[in-house]
Amino acid sequence: MRDRITAFLVLLPSLAAVGIFVYGFIGQNLWVSLTDWGKNPAQALALRPELRFVGLENYRELFTGFVDVRFRQSVVNLIFFTFFFMGGSLGLGLLLAMALDRGPKGEGFFRTVFLFPMALSFVVTGTIWRWLLQPQGGVNVLPTLFGLPPFHFPWLTTRQQTWVFDWNQLPFYTALAVGLTLLYVAWKAHREGERKRLFWSLLSSGVLLVWAFTLGRTTHLLPYPEPHGFSLALVGVILAAVWQMSGYTMALYLAGLRGIPVEVLEAAKVDGASEWQTYRHVVLPLLAPITLSAMIVLGHIALKIFDLIFAMAGLDYAPTDVPAIYMYLLAFRGNQFAKGAAIGILLLLLVALVVIPYLVSQLRKEVRR
Amino acid sequence: MGRFFLYALLLLATLLFLLPVYLVILTALKEPAKITLDTVWHWPDPVYWESFKIAWDAFRPKFQNSVVLALSATALSALVGALNGYVLAKWPFRGSNLLFALMLFGMFIPYQSILIPLFQFVKAIGLYGTLWGLILVHVVYGIPIVTLIFKNYYSEIPDELVEAARIDGASFFGIFRHVILPLSAPAFVVVAIWQFTQIWNEFLFAVTLTRPESQPITVALAQLAGGEAVKWNLPMAGAILAALPTLLVYIFLGRYFLRGLLAGSVKG
């Protein structure tokens, strides 16, 4: 009995620390995000600032306020960055893993080379790639090695954008995207014969899509059009991030490929499947759980990406802005703590949206085992 | 034919992964005056070692900060993790699994969502701008992952061993000291590598909670590279210095590095 008490006492400091530093601070941050801390510059840095409760005002301003246009661009940047960073890392990682799985000579050497960027910090990666992407040098002069004219792409400094859309249409696009995703879920439920899931996903998808094409089209967040798009200065950042993280996905996929029993592949061969068909119908479905895990980890990194952009483009360059950068800029440079806290809460919500369902499904799996 | 494409692909990828390294070394070895954009890829002539000396002089205090920070925070968090993992794996109590799950959540939160209260807190207890504040923060936010790794590892140790020791009259700490610890080396190595790499490379906490005199090398490097006036030989030599410790860990302990990587991200 005494030992049980000792055991609990040993765990207690960690529990208290996590309780305060994680849950307590999240609570406090939520409270700060609902106040006006930082609105009045005289109060901003006071030892005991007077905070007034303003409700969701900070959130409203971020999404529809006149001054926070930069936040909106940072959200758009984050979406594009996450998409291309994930796609690039997963694609390149899978390609490299499939190549290494065929047992080339010097496999250990290749593996070491592909994985070493993982040991670097994003600051080091950023510093290196900042130099590589200088407008008149680095990557741009590579074609001259083959006697071709150099590129003239200002990787990190361009202000060009593509796929520009009006921020006012964000509700429409969001409803459309979620509605279509739910439609896909419904289709899967139909194939698996899950009636209840089919009903609910079909219903909510229908509601969303109807809303999108009726009221959603005319919902306006701002009284004026505000264009945002994929900022091309991000291409350089995405390159650097994929360079750093694709070794990681390669390691995951390689472990997955090696874990596929030989009998399964033999069986496919006996059934007359070509190599391509084997990959398409046997190997890739077996790798799906790995893809999901990797997407969680990569998505997580993408949402928090800060050091890489800090090192590559600095804090003050709007075209490569992401919410994590803007949060730091607002809170620790501009002393606008309440608004910074609001961005922190938004990031937390995004992470929770992805991570909690994943954790719950993992736990269920463990229980079933 | 297939083999040819396979090796072509692998060599191309190797080139892609190593070219940045080549360029960094090249630039670090050039005389500042000779660093121009159109000769970026040319081999330095003559090789100029002075940059490393200058960079070392400039970065040494920050490098030392990083060493102290990473070593002490790693040691502390390994100790905390071993004890926590031991309790959760071998002395579970009612609700301990729920508490563990609540603990794990701390691994996933984006630190932006606690940064402002953390900043206030560290300031309020007088540790703002010191290395101690940063050590504390790294130990605390390391708790979830180190506990997870040790708990998983200790779950593999048969309960009978603990049971037998208990019947022989060993106490909670006696069992830890004489039964568990002697078996723990691999878990300690994985945790040490993971934490050392993470803490050495960390940037957000470091830039928020330190002053110039307590900055680790990542912050110093980011600020130097961000300045416009500096010649590129210095940031490049600095990047090599900042990368070297974790690269050495990776090269010499790669197997454990990978294991930590997989344990830290797939399981969580």
Side-chain angles (χ1 to χ4, degrees), chain B residues 215-266:
Chain B
Q215 271 171 0
I217 193 160
T218 44
V219 180
L221 178 63
Q223 286 175 353
L224 177 71
E228 293 301 319
V230 189
K231 274 292 177 184
W232 278 93
N233 61 326
L234 220 49
M236 290 301 123
I240 293 175
L241 282 181
L244 216 49
T246 50
L247 269 184
L248 289 177
V249 167
Y250 169 68
I251 290 167
F252 289 111
L253 298 162
R255 205 155 45 91
Y256 292 100
F257 183 87
L258 197 61
R259 203 181 294 173
L261 200 78
L262 298 180
S265 41
V266 182

Side-chain angles (χ1 to χ4, degrees), chain B residues 181-204:
Chain B
L181 264 191
L183 297 169
S184 306
F188 268 102
V189 175
V190 170
V191 163
I193 290 174
W194 173 263
Q195 282 296 83
F196 180 83
T197 313
Q198 292 294 307
I199 296 168
W200 185 278
N201 289 342
E202 203 276 338
F203 182 71
L204 179 66

Side-chain angles (χ1 to χ4, degrees), chain B residues 39-130:
Chain B
T39 59
V40 165
W41 297 94
H42 297 199
W43 187 252
D45 180 38
V47 173
Y48 180 78
W49 293 98
E50 202 66 7
S51 300
F52 278 101
K53 209 177 149 300
I54 301 168
W56 175 242
D57 284 341
F59 279 112
R60 192 171 52 194
K62 325 283 183 180
F63 192 87
Q64 282 166 346
N65 284 339
S66 278
V67 170
V68 173
L69 167 72
L71 287 183
S72 47
T74 301
L76 278 172
S77 70
L79 190 68
V80 171
L83 285 168
N84 285 351
Y86 170 54
V87 171
L88 289 169
K90 296 300 170 210
W91 300 86
F93 49 87
R94 261 183 56 165
S96 63
N97 269 333
L98 178 69
L99 287 176
F100 177 56
L102 288 172
M103 212 183 233
L104 281 189
F105 182 64
M107 204 154 81
F108 294 103
I109 60 164
Y111 293 138
Q112 280 83 10
S113 65
I114 45 87
L115 198 59
I116 291 168
L118 178 70
F119 170 73
Q120 279 178 288
F121 177 83
V122 172
K123 233 166 122 174
I125 60 171
L127 289 181
Y128 173 78
T130 69

Side-chain angles (χ1 to χ4, degrees), chain A residues 10-334:
Chain A
V10 164
L11 198 59
L12 197 58
S14 296
L15 291 175
V18 171
I20 295 170
F21 279 74
V22 175
Y23 295 95
F25 283 1
I26 289 176
Q28 200 187 342
N29 195 60
L30 182 64
W31 157 245
V32 167
S33 79
L34 301 173
T35 69
D36 65 344
W37 189 12
K39 265 275 148 56
N40 177 357
Q43 282 283 326
L45 280 181
L47 263 184
R48 297 200 154 276
E50 274 175 42
L51 304 187
R52 271 190 322 130
F53 179 80
V54 295
L56 294 175
E57 177 62 17
N58 291 309
Y59 296 89
R60 194 195 63 73
E61 268 188 30
L62 285 174
F63 283 99
T64 62
F66 178 68
V67 284
D68 287 302
V69 48
R70 207 176 139 168
F71 171 74
R72 284 161 331 241
Q73 180 61 44
S74 80
V75 170
V76 175
N77 279 346
L78 181 65
I79 294 170
F80 283 114
F81 175 80
T82 307
F83 182 77
F84 286 113
F85 166 59
M86 263 192 201
S89 301
L90 289 174
L92 188 57
L94 182 60
L95 185 72
L96 294 176
M98 275 163 48
L100 286 186
D101 190 42
R102 309 183 134 220
K105 278 201 193 87
E107 187 204 318
F109 166 77
F110 288 121
R111 220 176 32 213
T112 310
V113 167
F114 300 154
L115 205 56
F116 89 89
M118 277 294 296
L120 306 180
S121 72
F122 270 123
V123 171
V124 169
T125 304
T127 309
I128 297 172
W129 279 86
R130 185 191 168 107
W131 177 225
L132 270 168
L133 298 176
Q134 290 294 307
Q136 268 89 45
V139 170
N140 278 350
V141 299
L142 277 182
T144 60
L145 299 181
F146 307 99
L148 298 165
F151 295 132
H152 287 289
F153 189 67
W155 292 91
L156 296 168
T157 47
T158 176
R159 288 188 177 270
Q160 244 176 300
Q161 294 194 338
T162 55
W163 302 320
V164 178
F165 67 98
D166 185 357
W167 178 256
N168 281 312
Q169 288 180 332
L170 190 75
F172 169 72
Y173 285 125
T174 311
L176 192 67
V178 177
L180 289 178
T181 313
L182 283 169
L183 208 58
Y184 175 73
V185 171
W187 181 69
K188 280 202 84 170
H190 172 68
R191 286 189 47 166
E192 286 159 22
E194 299 221 17
R195 316 275 317 249
K196 215 167 121 193
R197 209 196 308 157
L198 171 68
F199 173 74
W200 285 111
S201 46
L202 209 57
L203 183 73
S204 27
S205 159
V207 170
L208 272 172
L209 289 178
V210 167
W211 181 85
F213 283 103
T214 52
L215 291 172
R217 290 238 82 153
T218 50
T219 307
H220 281 253
L221 294 173
L222 299 159
Y224 45 85
E226 187 180 281
H228 291 290
F230 174 43
S231 180
L232 289 183
L234 275 178
V235 173
V237 181
I238 292 167
L239 272 180
V242 170
W243 180 79
Q244 169 135 357
M245 290 307 295
S246 50
Y248 165 74
T249 44
M250 182 233 27
L252 288 186
Y253 277 130
L254 193 58
L257 286 170
R258 294 276 150 88
I260 295 175
V262 186
E263 298 85 55
V264 175
L265 300 176
E266 299 266 302
K269 206 181 259 172
V270 171
D271 288 345
S274 70
E275 201 167 344
W276 166 246
Q277 283 173 324
T278 312
Y279 268 117
R280 174 74 188 76
H281 295 289
V282 181
V283 175
L284 285 185
L286 284 172
L287 291 180
I290 294 180
T291 306
L292 186 66
S293 300
M295 277 173 78
I296 303 274
V297 174
L298 294 175
H300 204 252
I301 292 174
L303 284 176
K304 301 188 299 186
I305 195 81
F306 174 75
D307 19 12
L308 184 66
I309 294 176
F310 190 110
M312 286 186 86
L315 276 179
D316 302 309
Y317 192 57
T320 52
D321 208 354
V322 288
I325 293 265
Y326 192 58
M327 180 265 164
Y328 185 85
L329 197 67
L330 277 179
F332 296 100
R333 290 283 166 87

